[in-house]
């Protein structure tokens, strides 16, 4: 599944109008809820184009920093950061979704806000360092999967200046295989049904996709550049991973004043479009 999701950027200022907490990231939520007919459905909650960050707090040596955002019809998400000597780290993530949002929960049996609290797994980060994690990370608790990617965050910013040194998450290290964001189709839940034993033959590992260089021109001017390795995760009867081969993939698309479209084609078929 491909879902529309907006990037969130929050720049919290202190009393002197200097940046004290900065974050930019993308996230979405997979939620399992009970319907009026006592059945369970899976739904996806994405960020809206308008996000507020009321209640965010700078923090100091004795008070935790708080990054809080609100979006959609009564949904909110927050994370607090604590400082310890020369490091800071995420503490708890609090997510509240509102089943009164009929666009996302059209037939929810339980009405009103539901709050989930999970412990953040972010390790200690040196003060004045920026925590960066491009790969996907997710937390599962109480029928909710929270998915995050393209994360950049720094708490307790010193002198109002974002640090230049990065602390990368483990998933971004070169030895790690690319992670695939969960979708409604491939998130599994516990079941009491007795199943036949799984085959003992291990699946053949899929190699990392080759990096391709794709570009578009407007006249004689290059208007779009993309250097990226792409892998598609298709959930049908069997999960299928497809690496996009740059050697057999051509580009198409257009550049406008405010939008650009990049299409990657294999023969006459469009594989994926941005």
């Amino acid at each position: 599944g491909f879902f529309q999701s907006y990037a969130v950027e929050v720049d919290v200022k202190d009393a002197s109008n200097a940046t004290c907490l900065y974050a930019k990231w993308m996230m979405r939520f997979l939620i399992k809820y009970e319907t009026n007919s006592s059945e369970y459905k899976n739904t996806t909650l994405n960020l809206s184009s308008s996000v507020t960050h009321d209640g965010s707090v700078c923090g100091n040596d004795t008070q935790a920093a708080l990054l809080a955002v609100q979006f959609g019809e009564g949904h909110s998400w927050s994370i607090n950061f604590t400082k310890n000597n020369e490091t800071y780290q995420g503490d708890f993530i609090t997510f509240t979704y509102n089943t009164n949002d009929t666009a996302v929960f059209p037939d929810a049996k339980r009405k009103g806000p539901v709050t989930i609290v999970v412990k953040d797994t972010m390790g200690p980060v040196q003060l004045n360092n920026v925590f960066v994690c491009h790969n996907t990370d997710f937390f599962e608790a109480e029928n909710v999967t929270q998915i995050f990617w393209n994360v950049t965050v720094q708490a307790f910013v010193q002198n109002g200046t974002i640090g230049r040194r990065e602390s990368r998450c483990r998933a971004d290290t070169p030895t790690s295989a690319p992670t695939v964001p969960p979708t409604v189709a491939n998130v599994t839940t516990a079941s009491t049904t007795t199943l036949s034993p799984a085959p003992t033959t291990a699946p053949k590992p899929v190699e990392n996709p080759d990096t391709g260089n794709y570009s578009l021109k407007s006249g004689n001017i290059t208007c779009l550049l993309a250097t990226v390795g792409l892998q598609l995760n298709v959930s049908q009867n069997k999960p299928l991973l497809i690496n996009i081969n740059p050697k057999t993939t051509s580009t198409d698309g257009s550049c406008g004043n405010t939008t650009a479209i990049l299409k990657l084609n294999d023969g006459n078929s469009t594989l994926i479009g941005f």
Side-chain angles (χ1 to χ4, degrees):
F2 293 91
F3 302 97
Q4 182 177 9
S5 189
Y6 294 89
V8 189
E9 186 171 19
V10 177
D11 189 348
V12 183
K13 307 286 189 179
D14 61 17
S16 63
N17 202 36
T19 297
C20 62
L21 175 60
Y22 176 82
K24 185 175 182 179
W25 75 103
M26 299 187 76
M27 64 181 176
R28 70 171 179 259
F29 308 91
L30 307 181
I31 303 171
K32 184 178 181 181
Y33 70 99
E34 186 177 7
T35 68
N36 291 321
S37 58
S38 298
E39 297 178 342
Y40 283 87
K41 281 186 178 180
N42 292 312
T43 189
T44 302
L45 175 60
N46 294 308
L47 293 180
S48 59
S49 57
S50 58
V51 177
T52 59
H53 55 90
D54 299 333
S56 296
V57 178
C58 290
N60 51 43
D61 290 340
T62 59
Q63 181 185 14
L66 179 67
L67 177 65
V69 294
Q70 304 82 36
F71 59 97
E73 300 296 326
H75 314 295
S76 62
W77 181 91
S78 65
I79 179 173
N80 66 309
F81 299 91
T82 53
K83 183 164 66 169
N84 183 16
N85 295 325
E86 297 300 317
T87 64
Y88 68 91
Q89 67 183 90
D91 196 3
F92 287 97
I93 294 175
T94 303
F95 169 53
T96 298
Y97 62 94
N98 184 11
T99 57
N100 286 324
D101 185 350
T102 56
V104 182
F105 309 97
D107 51 356
K109 183 175 183 179
R110 176 182 178 180
K111 297 295 185 181
V114 181
T115 299
I116 308 296
V117 180
V118 296
K119 177 70 175 176
D120 187 23
T121 58
M122 172 184 175
V125 179
Q126 284 293 121
L127 288 176
N128 210 34
N129 277 23
V130 181
F131 175 77
V132 176
C133 192
H134 294 305
N135 274 271
T136 304
D137 195 7
F138 59 92
F139 300 89
E140 294 182 81
E142 301 181 44
N143 291 330
V144 174
T145 302
Q146 304 182 47
I147 309 166
F148 309 91
W149 69 102
N150 288 346
V151 175
T152 300
V153 61
Q154 183 179 354
F156 306 102
V157 177
Q158 299 176 347
N159 302 320
T161 304
I162 304 300
R164 295 185 178 182
R165 291 183 298 177
E166 294 182 352
S167 294
R168 288 297 188 108
C169 64
R170 183 178 301 176
D172 278 3
T173 57
T175 56
S176 298
T179 59
V180 179
T183 67
V184 170
N186 65 25
V187 170
T188 57
T189 56
S191 173
T192 57
T193 304
T194 302
L195 301 176
S196 301
T200 56
T201 303
K204 183 179 179 180
V206 178
E207 296 180 354
N208 293 348
D210 292 333
T211 300
N213 295 302
Y214 309 104
S215 63
L216 292 177
K217 287 184 177 293
S218 178
N220 295 324
I221 300 173
T222 299
C223 59
L224 189 150
L225 289 171
T227 300
V228 61
L230 290 171
Q231 183 182 88
L232 302 183
N233 180 12
V234 183
S235 296
Q236 297 176 328
N237 295 331
K238 286 185 176 181
L240 177 64
L241 293 180
I242 303 172
N243 284 343
I244 305 303
N245 184 356
K247 296 179 180 179
T248 60
T249 302
S250 61
T251 59
D252 191 10
S254 61
C255 295
N257 291 330
T258 59
T259 61
I261 299 174
L262 173 65
K263 296 179 181 180
L264 303 183
N265 306 310
D266 185 5
N268 296 320
S269 301
T270 299
L271 290 173
I272 188 168
F274 298 92

